[in-house]
């Protein structure tokens, strides 16, 4: 019997559900994709339970219909302005328990991660991820896998991602009310990294910018682990609102015009390109040059990239990131984003993050706005494959709570 994995990305603009099946032979196949408009969130946070439940049900039903399966469990993406990241460190003495000498074992690693996790986190926040960046064994820095090394003192540097307890609970509640159980949750931008960023880019040091509808997520990664997490309360919806206000048209019309004719880099626009603005209240439609739309969109996008640059300032000064700036999310579909980002960040190392070729994915869904949900199923599939591998080798008993860390381990080493 094949195993089923379900990813659910509850975004501010859309809810997306993806069903993947892993055959007995271990072949991973995406068999269902469903999406629905999202109206119950503001800046990535649930503000209307009913609307969110409805949107989740619709997206999941559409994916079920496509795959011919009925699903009851899923992995969800967490996002929104309440998500934050911090770096921390922990130190322990190596016990060498049950071993001949002071050889570092899994228990020492778990203890040092716990020690690094023991930073004061306010009561209203919860830890979503603790991701090891590197270890220091005695004086030896930059150790990626300390297992079986000899040492007296073990230090871990970790990146901790936290979120608001109530925001997480509300999201889980919506999913439960749509008759789905939440098996795991993952910070949305980490999921996007999984589907769009190469291992080489993660090692060299790269930046993911997920341009969503309500938020822009920024994740800096170096040596395979996150260095900085930031969620900015701005996204594509602001761009649409700007067009709507400046041109005196409805938000729906403004969105359509943005999708059809939006651009954020003036040199890309030909002189004679025109856009038809429908007339409001019986007035006839008007024809305007496309450059007028760009004049509205470009400054807003430039402001957004400026905010991202400011957030990245401290790490750009201290770390050499020689990989790429990878732009993903629905906003990455806006023509001119690469050119504008190159100009603002002062580098040519900018590209659009399109989900990789996995699970027999067809062209339609290999799009930046599917980056998060595809990352979620990919991660779920890898975790499942990994736990099967672990159990079959009888190395360790499956410990679900540690799977996340183990998986990042697996990925880094
Ligand atoms: N072709 C396009 N050109 C310009 N913008 C686009 C295009 N397609 C989608 N967008 C914009 O992308 C945004 C939605 O992106 P996405 O689907 O990644 O958001 P989301 O995941 O629902 O939201 P969030 O992650 O902020 O909660 C919308 O503002 C939409 O207008
Ligand atoms: Mg999103």
């Amino acid at each position: 019997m094949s195993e089923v994995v379900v990813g659910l990305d509850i975004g501010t603009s859309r809810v997306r559900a993806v069903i993947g099946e892993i055959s007995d032979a271990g072949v991973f196949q995406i068999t269902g994709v469903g999406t629905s408009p999202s109206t119950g969130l503001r800046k990535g946070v649930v503000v209307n339970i009913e609307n969110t439940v409805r949107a989740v049900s619709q997206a999941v039903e559409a994916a079920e219909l496509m795959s011919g399966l009925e699903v009851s469990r899923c992995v969800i993406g967490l996002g929104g302005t309440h998500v934050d990241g911090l770096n921390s460190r922990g130190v322990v003495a190596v016990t060498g328990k049950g071993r001949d000498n002071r050889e570092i074992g899994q228990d020492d690693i778990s203890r040092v991660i716990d020690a690094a996790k023991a930073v004061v986190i306010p009561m209203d926040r919860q830890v979503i991820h603790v991701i090891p960046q590197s270890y220091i064994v005695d004086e030896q820095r930059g150790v990626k896998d300390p297992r079986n090394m000899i040492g007296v003192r073990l230090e871990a540097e970790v990146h901790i991602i936290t979120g608001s307890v109530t925001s997480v609970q509300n999201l889980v509640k919506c999913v439960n009310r749509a008759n789905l159980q939440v098996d795991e949750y993952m910070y949305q931008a980490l999921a996007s990294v999984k589907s769009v960023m190469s291992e080489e880019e993660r090692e060299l040091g790269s930046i993911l910018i997920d341009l969503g509808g309500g938020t822009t997520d920024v994740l800096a990664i170096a040596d395979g682990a996150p260095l900085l997490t930031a969620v900015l309360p701005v996204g594509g919806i602001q761009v649409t609102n700007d067009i709507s206000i400046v041109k005196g048209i409805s938000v729906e019309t403004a969105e359509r015009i943005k999708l059809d004719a939006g651009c954020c880099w003036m040199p890309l626009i030909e002189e004679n390109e025109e856009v038809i603005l429908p007339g409001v209240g019986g007035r006839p439609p008007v024809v305007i040059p496309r450059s007028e739309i760009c004049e509205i969109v470009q400054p807003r996008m430039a402001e957004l990239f400026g905010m991202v640059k400011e957030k990245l300032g401290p790490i750009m000064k201290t770390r050499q990131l020689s990989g790429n700036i990878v732009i993903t999310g629905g906003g990455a579909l806006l023509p001119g984003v690469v050119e504008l980002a190159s100009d603002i960040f002062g580098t040519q190392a900018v590209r659009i993050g399109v989900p990789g070729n996995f699970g027999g994915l067809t062209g339609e869904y290999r799009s930046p706005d599917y980056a998060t949900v595809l990352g979620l199923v990919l991660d779920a599939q890898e975790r499942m494959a990994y736990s099967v591998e672990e159990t079959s080798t009888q190395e360790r008993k499956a410990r679900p709570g540690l799977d996340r860390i183990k998986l990042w381990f697996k990925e880094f080493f």
Side-chain angles (χ1 to χ4, degrees):
M1 221 184 79
S2 63
E3 297 275 5
V4 177
V5 283
V6 180
L8 189 60
D9 170 22
I10 305 168
T12 312
S13 292
R14 296 201 78 84
V15 175
R16 296 185 174 87
V18 167
I19 299 174
E21 291 178 60
I22 308 158
S23 74
D24 289 339
V27 178
F28 176 54
Q29 196 77 30
I30 288 169
T31 54
V33 182
T35 172
S36 68
S38 174
T39 53
L41 279 87
R42 240 188 125 249
K43 300 192 187 296
V45 178
V46 176
V47 290
N48 184 317
I49 299 271
E50 295 308 319
N51 289 0
T52 308
V53 172
R54 198 170 325 119
V56 168
S57 300
Q58 276 174 10
V60 173
E61 277 164 25
E64 284 179 330
L65 200 67
M66 187 167 164
S67 72
L69 289 171
E70 213 170 288
V71 297
S72 57
R73 329 164 64 95
C74 65
V75 178
I76 61 169
L78 288 183
T81 41
H82 62 99
V83 175
D84 202 6
L86 72 144
N87 293 321
S88 172
R89 50 175 63 213
V91 192
V92 292
V94 177
T95 57
K97 221 184 323 169
R99 294 180 287 272
D100 295 345
N101 43 31
R102 293 206 169 230
E103 190 180 280
I104 297 166
Q106 185 58 45
D107 54 327
D108 297 308
I109 296 173
S110 301
R111 275 192 311 117
V112 78
I113 298 286
D114 282 343
K117 213 165 93 173
V119 283
V120 182
I121 298 199
M123 286 288 283
D124 58 347
R125 300 189 66 77
Q126 69 183 76
V127 172
I128 304 171
H129 300 285
V130 180
I131 304 158
Q133 293 164 330
S134 76
Y135 297 89
I136 304 164
V137 179
D138 295 342
E139 296 308 310
Q140 182 72 44
R141 298 191 144 264
V143 175
K144 282 200 162 188
D145 186 359
R147 256 172 295 187
N148 304 330
M149 281 179 75
I150 310 283
V152 175
R153 179 188 144 100
L154 176 64
E155 196 169 334
E157 293 174 321
V158 302
H159 186 71
I160 301 177
I161 299 178
T162 65
S164 138
V165 174
T166 48
S167 298
V168 175
Q169 281 174 346
N170 276 328
L171 197 68
V172 172
K173 181 177 175 174
C174 291
V175 179
N176 291 156
R177 290 228 346 228
N179 297 322
L180 284 173
Q181 191 183 316
V182 176
D183 280 342
E184 269 280 350
Y185 39 73
M186 186 174 194
Y187 170 47
Q188 288 171 1
L190 271 183
S192 302
V193 161
K194 279 217 87 105
S195 71
V196 304
M197 207 183 259
S198 71
E199 221 170 301
E200 194 189 7
E201 284 174 324
R202 297 180 219 177
E203 285 300 325
L204 286 173
S206 294
I207 292 153
L208 179 100
I209 305 177
D210 187 323
L211 296 174
T215 59
T216 295
D217 291 75
V218 184
L219 194 67
I221 291 210
D223 297 324
L227 287 178
L228 175 135
T229 301
V231 183
L232 305 175
V234 272
I237 292 172
Q238 258 94 352
V239 177
T240 305
N241 286 344
D242 288 349
I243 300 175
S244 154
I245 291 164
V246 176
K247 291 295 167 200
I249 51 177
S250 70
V251 170
E252 291 71 30
T253 311
E255 175 73 10
R256 195 174 46 72
I257 286 174
K258 183 180 81 171
L259 300 190
D260 288 351
C263 181
C264 64
W265 189 243
M266 200 57 99
L268 292 180
I269 294 190
E270 306 278 338
E271 222 172 83
N272 52 3
E273 282 185 276
E274 290 176 331
V275 179
I276 301 170
L277 294 187
V280 179
R283 276 186 282 138
V286 282
V287 178
I288 59 159
R290 188 178 173 213
S291 57
E292 281 191 21
I293 302 296
C294 191
E295 276 166 15
I296 303 168
V297 176
Q298 188 168 332
R300 177 63 90 173
M301 292 302 292
E303 183 193 10
L304 203 164
F305 284 133
M307 288 166 75
V308 173
K309 194 176 173 187
E310 207 180 301
K311 280 277 173 203
L312 290 168
I315 63 152
M316 291 290 227
K317 280 195 201 110
T318 53
R319 293 289 290 249
Q320 166 111 25
L321 303 177
S322 27
N324 287 322
I325 293 177
V326 182
I327 305 175
T328 191
L333 294 164
L334 184 69
V337 274
V338 169
E339 291 81 354
L340 181 66
S342 293
D343 185 55
I344 290 182
F345 292 102
T347 169
Q348 291 302 308
V350 181
R351 70 174 185 91
I352 300 288
V354 176
N357 193 7
F358 52 84
L361 204 60
T362 59
E364 188 188 342
Y365 304 115
R366 290 193 59 204
S367 168
D369 46 352
Y370 279 86
T372 302
V373 72
L374 289 170
L376 290 172
V377 271
L378 186 62
D379 185 65
Q381 177 259 327
E382 283 178 6
R383 221 163 343 101
M384 194 164 277
Y386 188 54
S387 61
V388 168
E389 194 184 302
E390 284 263 294
T391 325
S392 63
T393 53
Q394 295 290 313
E395 273 181 26
R396 259 170 254 143
K397 279 197 204 110
R399 279 186 291 171
L402 280 176
D403 274 356
R404 162 82 49 241
I405 294 171
K406 279 198 283 184
L407 193 68
W408 280 99
F409 265 30
K410 179 175 175 267
E411 217 172 62
F412 300 147
F413 306 137

